[in-house]
Amino acid sequence: MTSKSSPSSSSATSSTPASTPASAYGAVRDAGSGDRRARVRRALRGRPRPKPWKRGPVLAASALLLGLVMLLHASIPNRAGNLGSLVETFLPWFGLFIPVLLAGALWRRSACAVAALLLPVTVWLNLFGGLLTDRSDGDGDLTVATHNVGAGNPDPAGTARDLAALGADVLALEELTPEARGAYEEGLAGAYPHHVVLGTVGVWSRLPLSDTRPVDIATDVGPLADTGAAGVTTADNRALRTTVATDHGPLAVYVAHLGSARVNPRAGFWTDTRDRNARALGEAVAAERNGRVVLLGDLNGTMDDRAFDGITARLRSAQETAGDGFGFTWPAGFPVARIDHVLVRGVRAESSRVLPATGSDHLPVAAGISW
């Protein structure tokens, strides 16, 4: 006897689909995603890559801008935050951007960026390439040195011993304080029979001194202003002129400590006092009747800065003429700028060098000069 299937069981069997594993759906999705990625890769491969001369336009523009900034630095206005002087103060360091841009150009394989770099390279080498070699030519007939000893120097006696050991014939010191003056006079007495101190600047010499007088550099910053340590006071004269008696005749020696430069949000690169001091000092040197002049001191600026045009028009930097390297002097721990200078007129600089650190935040410098 044949049994009949129930309608309900037959219907359930025919209407229930076979179950599909969840992993199968995932495989379908992954396959679809892989197809899309493959299509994108094929589309990208199908697009032509820019030719080398069209790659890296931003790098090329940056290289050209860098070159123009260095080439036209004298045209950058000072009206906004003294920007021109700020750029000129750190102008040598702009060369560090060149290898950075070169690395980017090589990574992008950009021929136009590499070509554009020829401008900043040429300009930088024209400005500073000569400083990369040793330009000294002997020791000279007379050695002069200058050092901002630092109002907050914790060991003036030790600094005096270090300076006495240098063997300079004429030594200029800046930022002397009444509290430390005795230590320098005592420590330098054995090496220098002649010395004079006027305010915060002084000269120690193996040769006789005469006609010493203060130089008015139009300063109104008071007793070292904010350059000195807390609680330290001193007289406000910051420049002098004296005559050194040499075997070749009288030599006019100027010693100066110009006002400080400051960077702050309101004023930008603030140099008002320093610039006024520089103009007055330039006028004093211009009025000097002795054809042989040496200027020693902390000028709180580099000779690339336009603020010193009145000085550099009449005096030459010993470092630029006869030095080795850039001769950075400040700050002593990691020097980034040469703000301590030996400048000459009517004599020849034979050598110029930066000396070892003392207890000051400045490095001393020395130069050999000849007639």
Side-chain angles (χ1 to χ4, degrees), residues 17 23 25 38 43 51 53 63 101 131 135 137 157 180 183 208 218 223 238 295 308 313 355:
S23 59
Y25 290 112
K51 295 182 179 180
W53 286 102
L101 291 172
L131 299 179
R135 301 169 302 285
D137 188 21
R238 294 166 64 116
L295 169 59
F308 299 98
L355 304 171

Side-chain angles (χ1 to χ4, degrees), residues 9-341:
S9 61
S10 175
S11 173
T13 302
S14 60
S15 63
T16 303
S19 61
T20 302
S23 59
Y25 290 112
V28 172
R29 286 196 299 269
D30 290 345
S33 176
D35 289 342
R36 285 194 297 272
R37 287 196 293 268
R39 286 196 297 271
V40 170
R41 285 196 294 269
R42 285 195 298 270
L44 291 176
R45 283 197 296 267
R47 292 182 60 187
R49 290 189 66 187
K51 295 182 179 180
W53 286 102
K54 294 184 178 181
R55 297 175 198 158
V58 174
L59 288 169
S62 299
L64 292 174
L65 178 61
L66 176 62
L68 290 174
V69 167
M70 292 190 293
L71 178 64
L72 305 175
H73 65 87
S75 300
I76 299 175
N78 265 339
R79 290 188 296 273
N82 229 19
L83 181 61
S85 285
L86 180 61
V87 168
E88 290 167 336
T89 297
F90 298 102
L91 197 57
W93 293 96
F94 279 67
L96 293 180
F97 291 108
I98 294 175
V100 174
L101 291 172
L102 177 60
L106 295 176
W107 180 72
R108 292 280 287 121
R109 298 181 181 180
S110 170
C112 66
V114 172
L117 278 168
L118 291 175
L119 176 62
V121 169
T122 302
V123 174
W124 193 92
L125 289 175
N126 182 64
L127 291 172
F128 305 111
L131 299 179
L132 301 178
T133 60
D134 186 355
R135 301 169 302 285
S136 61
D137 188 21
D139 296 329
D141 300 322
L142 189 75
T143 300
V144 297
T146 180
H147 187 31
N148 180 326
V149 294
N153 191 324
D155 185 18
T159 297
R161 288 193 299 270
D162 292 340
L163 294 173
L166 297 178
D169 298 297
V170 178
L171 172 66
L173 301 185
E174 303 87 49
E175 211 162 290
L176 293 166
T177 67
E179 294 83 355
R181 175 175 171 173
Y184 291 108
E185 290 178 331
E186 181 179 353
L188 297 172
Y192 298 99
H194 310 280
H195 89 278
V196 60
V197 175
L198 294 180
T200 67
V201 294
V203 176
W204 276 257
S205 175
R206 300 182 189 276
L207 303 171
L209 302 174
S210 63
D211 193 22
T212 302
R213 60 180 183 270
V215 176
D216 181 7
I217 56 172
T219 184
D220 59 359
V221 296
L224 283 185
D226 52 359
T227 63
V232 174
T233 60
T234 183
D236 60 359
N237 182 73
R238 294 166 64 116
L240 66 80
R241 184 262 187 218
T242 191
T243 299
V244 178
T246 75
D247 293 338
H248 301 275
L251 175 68
V253 173
Y254 285 76
V255 181
H257 180 196
L258 304 190
S260 298
R262 292 285 184 268
V263 178
N264 61 68
R266 288 187 176 182
F269 188 50
W270 185 84
T271 59
D272 291 358
T273 300
R274 185 207 65 181
D275 294 351
R276 183 169 60 253
N277 294 166
R279 288 191 294 270
L281 181 59
E283 293 170 0
V285 171
E288 173 61 50
R289 295 183 178 181
N290 192 332
R292 296 169 176 170
V293 179
V294 173
L295 169 59
L296 308 167
D298 171 11
L299 304 187
N300 271 309
T302 71
M303 293 301 99
D304 294 313
D305 192 330
R306 67 195 69 180
F308 299 98
D309 287 351
I311 294 175
T312 56
R314 299 176 177 91
L315 301 170
R316 296 198 66 187
S317 167
Q319 180 66 24
E320 293 180 3
T321 303
D324 182 9
F326 291 94
F328 296 146
T329 63
W330 180 89
F334 187 80
V336 298
R338 183 180 179 88
I339 64 174
D340 303 272
H341 300 277

